[in-house]
Amino acid sequence: MSRQVFLYDPPDRFVAGTVGLPGRRTFFLQAAAGPRVTSVALEKTQVAALAERMDELLDEVVRRSGGIAAVPAVTPTEISDTRPLETPVEEEFRVGTMALAWDGEEQRMIVEAQALVELDAESEEDLAEAEERLLQDEENGPPMLRVRLTGAQARAFAKRALDVVNAGRPPCPLCSLPLDPEGHVCPRQNGYRRGA
């Protein structure tokens, strides 16, 4: 069976979003073009890391080009996307590995999200070697979502993704861990429960 690649070049929409209540949210990347929609699940930390790294890469592209790259410094308001995820949200796979690259020739950000795969290995070296072979296997590798974005689309994605991550539970003022509506066992209070 050949590798399944969900390619969006370009997408009509590429966003990060959630399903569920704060504290129990499931995070998704969702790409859409016409009637075709692909949703992949991932961890909150992966969404945050992707958005932060994307902004850093875009800033580096602007710096190296001397400001002539087609990358806005901030998200253009006309492409800001605050709509919810397209429903029904059907998970294609859970993301394990992500990659970012800038195609200078086409002036596009390339985002790749590959499915989580469990590997058996005897040692760390065997595991690293097995991971590398799997990721490089274009024919039989894990399913992948590949999206090519303009600089403006990439900025809009990063801003929304960070907004989604930060829209969860408020942090405890003492330890910065998320507060639960039922209360919070704060390590800074020696395990005493704090009200929300």
Side-chain angles (χ1 to χ4, degrees):
M1 184 167 106
S2 64
R3 178 182 215 169
Q4 188 174 18
V5 177
F6 301 92
L7 177 62
Y8 289 84
D9 184 14
D12 296 334
R13 184 175 194 225
F14 181 59
V15 295
T18 62
V19 173
L21 298 173
R24 293 173 181 80
R25 298 185 296 171
T26 302
F27 287 78
F28 290 92
L29 296 180
Q30 190 176 74
R36 190 169 66 107
V37 177
T38 303
S39 302
V40 297
L42 69 170
E43 298 298 322
K44 178 180 180 178
T45 54
Q46 289 175 297
V47 175
L50 178 62
E52 290 165 3
R53 183 64 188 116
M54 190 178 282
D55 263 342
E56 290 169 5
L57 184 54
L58 291 169
D59 291 344
E60 183 66 15
V61 167
V62 170
R63 188 186 69 73
R64 287 189 180 189
S65 73
I68 61 168
V71 176
V74 295
T75 303
T77 55
E78 65 273 7
I79 67 165
S80 183
D81 185 345
T82 57
R83 294 180 297 137
L85 295 174
E86 301 292 329
T87 56
V89 178
E90 297 176 3
E91 178 183 323
E92 294 293 338
F93 59 84
R94 179 156 288 281
V95 175
T97 305
M98 294 186 296
L100 279 178
W102 179 257
D103 180 344
E105 203 170 292
E106 297 287 325
Q107 296 287 297
R108 295 286 185 264
M109 173 75 69
I110 302 164
V111 181
E112 291 183 351
Q114 297 188 60
L116 181 64
V117 176
E118 292 191 29
L119 299 172
D120 291 326
E122 299 287 324
S123 67
E124 295 252 346
E125 293 82 25
D126 291 344
L127 182 60
E129 193 176 302
E131 281 179 343
E132 188 61 30
R133 274 196 317 270
L134 186 64
L135 295 176
Q136 299 304 321
D137 188 350
E138 284 296 321
E139 186 63 30
N140 300 308
M144 176 194 315
L145 171 65
R146 182 180 290 147
V147 182
R148 295 176 57 86
L149 305 167
T150 65
Q153 287 174 316
R155 280 283 189 215
F157 171 85
K159 180 185 182 322
R160 176 186 166 126
L162 289 173
D163 289 347
V164 166
V165 166
N166 293 327
R169 297 172 288 170
C172 171
L174 299 175
C175 69
S176 299
L177 293 173
L179 290 172
D180 283 322
E182 296 86 36
H184 165 67
V185 178
C186 181
R188 299 280 311 266
Q189 292 288 313
N190 293 324
Y192 287 99
R193 188 171 281 286
R194 281 180 63 87

PDB file of all heavy atoms in Angstrom, residues 31-58:
ATOM      1  N   ALA A  31      -7.096  21.439   7.105  1.00  0.00           N
ATOM      2  CA  ALA A  31      -6.873  22.032   5.791  1.00  0.00           C
ATOM      3  C   ALA A  31      -8.110  21.788   4.946  1.00  0.00           C
ATOM      4  O   ALA A  31      -8.728  20.723   5.034  1.00  0.00           O
ATOM      5  CB  ALA A  31      -5.649  21.417   5.130  1.00  0.00           C
ATOM      6  N   ALA A  32      -8.467  22.779   4.122  1.00  0.00           N
ATOM      7  CA  ALA A  32      -9.638  22.640   3.265  1.00  0.00           C
ATOM      8  C   ALA A  32      -9.370  23.293   1.918  1.00  0.00           C
ATOM      9  O   ALA A  32      -8.705  24.328   1.831  1.00  0.00           O
ATOM     10  CB  ALA A  32     -10.855  23.291   3.919  1.00  0.00           C
ATOM     11  N   ALA A  33      -9.886  22.659   0.881  1.00  0.00           N
ATOM     12  CA  ALA A  33      -9.862  23.199  -0.480  1.00  0.00           C
ATOM     13  C   ALA A  33     -11.143  22.730  -1.145  1.00  0.00           C
ATOM     14  O   ALA A  33     -11.339  21.522  -1.319  1.00  0.00           O
ATOM     15  CB  ALA A  33      -8.637  22.719  -1.249  1.00  0.00           C
ATOM     16  N   GLY A  34     -12.026  23.669  -1.443  1.00  0.00           N
ATOM     17  CA  GLY A  34     -13.327  23.287  -1.986  1.00  0.00           C
ATOM     18  C   GLY A  34     -14.053  22.418  -0.982  1.00  0.00           C
ATOM     19  O   GLY A  34     -14.049  22.697   0.221  1.00  0.00           O
ATOM     20  N   PRO A  35     -14.652  21.314  -1.439  1.00  0.00           N
ATOM     21  CA  PRO A  35     -15.384  20.443  -0.518  1.00  0.00           C
ATOM     22  C   PRO A  35     -14.484  19.480   0.266  1.00  0.00           C
ATOM     23  O   PRO A  35     -14.932  18.815   1.191  1.00  0.00           O
ATOM     24  CB  PRO A  35     -16.311  19.657  -1.449  1.00  0.00           C
ATOM     25  CG  PRO A  35     -15.574  19.603  -2.743  1.00  0.00           C
ATOM     26  CD  PRO A  35     -14.829  20.913  -2.838  1.00  0.00           C
ATOM     27  N   ARG A  36     -13.210  19.402  -0.092  1.00  0.00           N
ATOM     28  CA  ARG A  36     -12.277  18.467   0.556  1.00  0.00           C
ATOM     29  C   ARG A  36     -11.743  19.072   1.850  1.00  0.00           C
ATOM     30  O   ARG A  36     -11.251  20.196   1.869  1.00  0.00           O
ATOM     31  CB  ARG A  36     -11.127  18.177  -0.405  1.00  0.00           C
ATOM     32  CG  ARG A  36     -10.218  17.074   0.023  1.00  0.00           C
ATOM     33  CD  ARG A  36      -9.284  16.688  -1.117  1.00  0.00           C
ATOM     34  NE  ARG A  36      -8.372  17.749  -1.462  1.00  0.00           N
ATOM     35  CZ  ARG A  36      -7.075  17.751  -1.173  1.00  0.00           C
ATOM     36  NH1 ARG A  36      -6.535  16.718  -0.554  1.00  0.00           N
ATOM     37  NH2 ARG A  36      -6.309  18.754  -1.515  1.00  0.00           N
ATOM     38  N   VAL A  37     -11.844  18.309   2.956  1.00  0.00           N
ATOM     39  CA  VAL A  37     -11.370  18.763   4.266  1.00  0.00           C
ATOM     40  C   VAL A  37     -10.577  17.633   4.906  1.00  0.00           C
ATOM     41  O   VAL A  37     -11.003  16.481   4.895  1.00  0.00           O
ATOM     42  CB  VAL A  37     -12.555  19.144   5.195  1.00  0.00           C
ATOM     43  CG1 VAL A  37     -12.052  19.537   6.568  1.00  0.00           C
ATOM     44  CG2 VAL A  37     -13.379  20.265   4.584  1.00  0.00           C
ATOM     45  N   THR A  38      -9.413  17.969   5.468  1.00  0.00           N
ATOM     46  CA  THR A  38      -8.592  16.997   6.182  1.00  0.00           C
ATOM     47  C   THR A  38      -8.298  17.541   7.573  1.00  0.00           C
ATOM     48  O   THR A  38      -7.822  18.669   7.716  1.00  0.00           O
ATOM     49  CB  THR A  38      -7.259  16.739   5.439  1.00  0.00           C
ATOM     50  OG1 THR A  38      -7.539  16.306   4.115  1.00  0.00           O
ATOM     51  CG2 THR A  38      -6.426  15.696   6.157  1.00  0.00           C
ATOM     52  N   SER A  39      -8.570  16.730   8.599  1.00  0.00           N
ATOM     53  CA  SER A  39      -8.320  17.111   9.988  1.00  0.00           C
ATOM     54  C   SER A  39      -7.386  16.092  10.618  1.00  0.00           C
ATOM     55  O   SER A  39      -7.617  14.891  10.512  1.00  0.00           O
ATOM     56  CB  SER A  39      -9.632  17.144  10.783  1.00  0.00           C
ATOM     57  OG  SER A  39     -10.549  18.038  10.203  1.00  0.00           O
ATOM     58  N   VAL A  40      -6.336  16.581  11.283  1.00  0.00           N
ATOM     59  CA  VAL A  40      -5.406  15.698  11.990  1.00  0.00           C
ATOM     60  C   VAL A  40      -5.280  16.189  13.430  1.00  0.00           C
ATOM     61  O   VAL A  40      -5.247  17.392  13.686  1.00  0.00           O
ATOM     62  CB  VAL A  40      -4.020  15.636  11.292  1.00  0.00           C
ATOM     63  CG1 VAL A  40      -4.151  15.036   9.895  1.00  0.00           C
ATOM     64  CG2 VAL A  40      -3.348  16.993  11.207  1.00  0.00           C
ATOM     65  N   ALA A  41      -5.261  15.250  14.366  1.00  0.00           N
ATOM     66  CA  ALA A  41      -5.193  15.575  15.789  1.00  0.00           C
ATOM     67  C   ALA A  41      -3.743  15.690  16.234  1.00  0.00           C
ATOM     68  O   ALA A  41      -2.855  15.016  15.695  1.00  0.00           O
ATOM     69  CB  ALA A  41      -5.897  14.494  16.604  1.00  0.00           C
ATOM     70  N   LEU A  42      -3.512  16.546  17.216  1.00  0.00           N
ATOM     71  CA  LEU A  42      -2.179  16.699  17.775  1.00  0.00           C
ATOM     72  C   LEU A  42      -2.279  17.274  19.176  1.00  0.00           C
ATOM     73  O   LEU A  42      -3.371  17.600  19.647  1.00  0.00           O
ATOM     74  CB  LEU A  42      -1.292  17.550  16.873  1.00  0.00           C
ATOM     75  CG  LEU A  42      -1.577  19.040  16.712  1.00  0.00           C
ATOM     76  CD1 LEU A  42      -0.426  19.693  15.966  1.00  0.00           C
ATOM     77  CD2 LEU A  42      -2.842  19.296  15.948  1.00  0.00           C
ATOM     78  N   GLU A  43      -1.152  17.398  19.843  1.00  0.00           N
ATOM     79  CA  GLU A  43      -1.106  17.902  21.208  1.00  0.00           C
ATOM     80  C   GLU A  43      -1.039  19.427  21.209  1.00  0.00           C
ATOM     81  O   GLU A  43      -0.549  20.041  20.259  1.00  0.00           O
ATOM     82  CB  GLU A  43       0.122  17.346  21.945  1.00  0.00           C
ATOM     83  CG  GLU A  43       0.126  15.848  22.092  1.00  0.00           C
ATOM     84  CD  GLU A  43      -1.030  15.313  22.909  1.00  0.00           C
ATOM     85  OE1 GLU A  43      -1.413  15.963  23.912  1.00  0.00           O
ATOM     86  OE2 GLU A  43      -1.574  14.262  22.536  1.00  0.00           O
ATOM     87  N   LYS A  44      -1.506  20.014  22.296  1.00  0.00           N
ATOM     88  CA  LYS A  44      -1.465  21.473  22.465  1.00  0.00           C
ATOM     89  C   LYS A  44      -0.035  21.994  22.308  1.00  0.00           C
ATOM     90  O   LYS A  44       0.185  23.016  21.654  1.00  0.00           O
ATOM     91  CB  LYS A  44      -2.026  21.831  23.843  1.00  0.00           C
ATOM     92  CG  LYS A  44      -2.000  23.290  24.194  1.00  0.00           C
ATOM     93  CD  LYS A  44      -2.573  23.502  25.586  1.00  0.00           C
ATOM     94  CE  LYS A  44      -2.575  24.959  25.984  1.00  0.00           C
ATOM     95  NZ  LYS A  44      -3.183  25.147  27.316  1.00  0.00           N
ATOM     96  N   THR A  45       0.926  21.293  22.884  1.00  0.00           N
ATOM     97  CA  THR A  45       2.318  21.737  22.801  1.00  0.00           C
ATOM     98  C   THR A  45       2.820  21.707  21.359  1.00  0.00           C
ATOM     99  O   THR A  45       3.651  22.536  20.980  1.00  0.00           O
ATOM    100  CB  THR A  45       3.230  20.872  23.689  1.00  0.00           C
ATOM    101  OG1 THR A  45       3.053  19.488  23.342  1.00  0.00           O
ATOM    102  CG2 THR A  45       2.914  21.073  25.161  1.00  0.00           C
ATOM    103  N   GLN A  46       2.335  20.757  20.563  1.00  0.00           N
ATOM    104  CA  GLN A  46       2.726  20.702  19.152  1.00  0.00           C
ATOM    105  C   GLN A  46       2.173  21.900  18.392  1.00  0.00           C
ATOM    106  O   GLN A  46       2.862  22.464  17.539  1.00  0.00           O
ATOM    107  CB  GLN A  46       2.233  19.402  18.507  1.00  0.00           C
ATOM    108  CG  GLN A  46       2.977  18.162  18.968  1.00  0.00           C
ATOM    109  CD  GLN A  46       2.365  16.902  18.382  1.00  0.00           C
ATOM    110  OE1 GLN A  46       1.203  16.585  18.658  1.00  0.00           O
ATOM    111  NE2 GLN A  46       3.135  16.190  17.583  1.00  0.00           N
ATOM    112  N   VAL A  47       0.930  22.290  18.687  1.00  0.00           N
ATOM    113  CA  VAL A  47       0.335  23.460  18.026  1.00  0.00           C
ATOM    114  C   VAL A  47       1.147  24.702  18.379  1.00  0.00           C
ATOM    115  O   VAL A  47       1.494  25.504  17.504  1.00  0.00           O
ATOM    116  CB  VAL A  47      -1.142  23.646  18.438  1.00  0.00           C
ATOM    117  CG1 VAL A  47      -1.709  24.931  17.849  1.00  0.00           C
ATOM    118  CG2 VAL A  47      -1.978  22.457  17.996  1.00  0.00           C
ATOM    119  N   ALA A  48       1.455  24.872  19.663  1.00  0.00           N
ATOM    120  CA  ALA A  48       2.221  26.038  20.106  1.00  0.00           C
ATOM    121  C   ALA A  48       3.600  26.065  19.456  1.00  0.00           C
ATOM    122  O   ALA A  48       4.046  27.110  18.957  1.00  0.00           O
ATOM    123  CB  ALA A  48       2.349  26.043  21.632  1.00  0.00           C
ATOM    124  N   ALA A  49       4.283  24.932  19.437  1.00  0.00           N
ATOM    125  CA  ALA A  49       5.619  24.867  18.843  1.00  0.00           C
ATOM    126  C   ALA A  49       5.573  25.178  17.346  1.00  0.00           C
ATOM    127  O   ALA A  49       6.438  25.904  16.821  1.00  0.00           O
ATOM    128  CB  ALA A  49       6.243  23.494  19.082  1.00  0.00           C
ATOM    129  N   LEU A  50       4.582  24.630  16.646  1.00  0.00           N
ATOM    130  CA  LEU A  50       4.450  24.884  15.214  1.00  0.00           C
ATOM    131  C   LEU A  50       4.236  26.371  14.948  1.00  0.00           C
ATOM    132  O   LEU A  50       4.892  26.959  14.080  1.00  0.00           O
ATOM    133  CB  LEU A  50       3.297  24.062  14.634  1.00  0.00           C
ATOM    134  CG  LEU A  50       2.999  24.264  13.146  1.00  0.00           C
ATOM    135  CD1 LEU A  50       4.187  23.863  12.279  1.00  0.00           C
ATOM    136  CD2 LEU A  50       1.758  23.474  12.745  1.00  0.00           C
ATOM    137  N   ALA A  51       3.330  26.999  15.684  1.00  0.00           N
ATOM    138  CA  ALA A  51       3.041  28.422  15.483  1.00  0.00           C
ATOM    139  C   ALA A  51       4.256  29.294  15.785  1.00  0.00           C
ATOM    140  O   ALA A  51       4.586  30.205  15.014  1.00  0.00           O
ATOM    141  CB  ALA A  51       1.851  28.841  16.345  1.00  0.00           C
ATOM    142  N   GLU A  52       4.928  29.015  16.890  1.00  0.00           N
ATOM    143  CA  GLU A  52       6.102  29.808  17.263  1.00  0.00           C
ATOM    144  C   GLU A  52       7.221  29.647  16.246  1.00  0.00           C
ATOM    145  O   GLU A  52       7.845  30.629  15.826  1.00  0.00           O
ATOM    146  CB  GLU A  52       6.577  29.414  18.660  1.00  0.00           C
ATOM    147  CG  GLU A  52       5.617  29.851  19.743  1.00  0.00           C
ATOM    148  CD  GLU A  52       5.866  29.186  21.084  1.00  0.00           C
ATOM    149  OE1 GLU A  52       6.847  28.402  21.219  1.00  0.00           O
ATOM    150  OE2 GLU A  52       5.072  29.432  22.015  1.00  0.00           O
ATOM    151  N   ARG A  53       7.475  28.419  15.834  1.00  0.00           N
ATOM    152  CA  ARG A  53       8.540  28.162  14.858  1.00  0.00           C
ATOM    153  C   ARG A  53       8.196  28.779  13.503  1.00  0.00           C
ATOM    154  O   ARG A  53       9.065  29.294  12.806  1.00  0.00           O
ATOM    155  CB  ARG A  53       8.773  26.652  14.730  1.00  0.00           C
ATOM    156  CG  ARG A  53       9.897  26.294  13.817  1.00  0.00           C
ATOM    157  CD  ARG A  53      11.247  26.803  14.338  1.00  0.00           C
ATOM    158  NE  ARG A  53      12.252  26.604  13.329  1.00  0.00           N
ATOM    159  CZ  ARG A  53      12.916  27.571  12.715  1.00  0.00           C
ATOM    160  NH1 ARG A  53      12.714  28.823  13.030  1.00  0.00           N
ATOM    161  NH2 ARG A  53      13.810  27.291  11.790  1.00  0.00           N
ATOM    162  N   MET A  54       6.915  28.750  13.139  1.00  0.00           N
ATOM    163  CA  MET A  54       6.497  29.339  11.870  1.00  0.00           C
ATOM    164  C   MET A  54       6.761  30.845  11.879  1.00  0.00           C
ATOM    165  O   MET A  54       7.296  31.396  10.912  1.00  0.00           O
ATOM    166  CB  MET A  54       5.017  29.048  11.625  1.00  0.00           C
ATOM    167  CG  MET A  54       4.548  29.405  10.232  1.00  0.00           C
ATOM    168  SD  MET A  54       2.813  28.984   9.970  1.00  0.00           S
ATOM    169  CE  MET A  54       2.939  27.207   9.719  1.00  0.00           C
ATOM    170  N   ASP A  55       6.384  31.521  12.972  1.00  0.00           N
ATOM    171  CA  ASP A  55       6.649  32.959  13.084  1.00  0.00           C
ATOM    172  C   ASP A  55       8.143  33.250  13.013  1.00  0.00           C
ATOM    173  O   ASP A  55       8.576  34.195  12.344  1.00  0.00           O
ATOM    174  CB  ASP A  55       6.069  33.515  14.386  1.00  0.00           C
ATOM    175  CG  ASP A  55       4.710  34.166  14.206  1.00  0.00           C
ATOM    176  OD1 ASP A  55       4.341  34.507  13.055  1.00  0.00           O
ATOM    177  OD2 ASP A  55       4.004  34.342  15.216  1.00  0.00           O
ATOM    178  N   GLU A  56       8.951  32.442  13.711  1.00  0.00           N
ATOM    179  CA  GLU A  56      10.404  32.634  13.687  1.00  0.00           C
ATOM    180  C   GLU A  56      10.963  32.473  12.271  1.00  0.00           C
ATOM    181  O   GLU A  56      11.804  33.267  11.834  1.00  0.00           O
ATOM    182  CB  GLU A  56      11.090  31.638  14.624  1.00  0.00           C
ATOM    183  CG  GLU A  56      10.857  31.891  16.086  1.00  0.00           C
ATOM    184  CD  GLU A  56      11.334  30.742  16.968  1.00  0.00           C
ATOM    185  OE1 GLU A  56      11.946  29.779  16.446  1.00  0.00           O
ATOM    186  OE2 GLU A  56      11.090  30.798  18.185  1.00  0.00           O
ATOM    187  N   LEU A  57      10.499  31.447  11.571  1.00  0.00           N
ATOM    188  CA  LEU A  57      10.976  31.201  10.209  1.00  0.00           C
ATOM    189  C   LEU A  57      10.569  32.344   9.278  1.00  0.00           C
ATOM    190  O   LEU A  57      11.365  32.803   8.452  1.00  0.00           O
ATOM    191  CB  LEU A  57      10.443  29.864   9.698  1.00  0.00           C
ATOM    192  CG  LEU A  57      10.919  29.409   8.318  1.00  0.00           C
ATOM    193  CD1 LEU A  57      12.434  29.384   8.211  1.00  0.00           C
ATOM    194  CD2 LEU A  57      10.350  28.032   8.000  1.00  0.00           C
ATOM    195  N   LEU A  58       9.343  32.831   9.415  1.00  0.00           N
ATOM    196  CA  LEU A  58       8.896  33.965   8.590  1.00  0.00           C
ATOM    197  C   LEU A  58       9.719  35.216   8.881  1.00  0.00           C
ATOM    198  O   LEU A  58      10.103  35.940   7.952  1.00  0.00           O
ATOM    199  CB  LEU A  58       7.408  34.234   8.828  1.00  0.00           C
ATOM    200  CG  LEU A  58       6.455  33.169   8.296  1.00  0.00           C
ATOM    201  CD1 LEU A  58       5.043  33.409   8.826  1.00  0.00           C
ATOM    202  CD2 LEU A  58       6.461  33.110   6.781  1.00  0.00           C
TER     203      LEU A  58
END
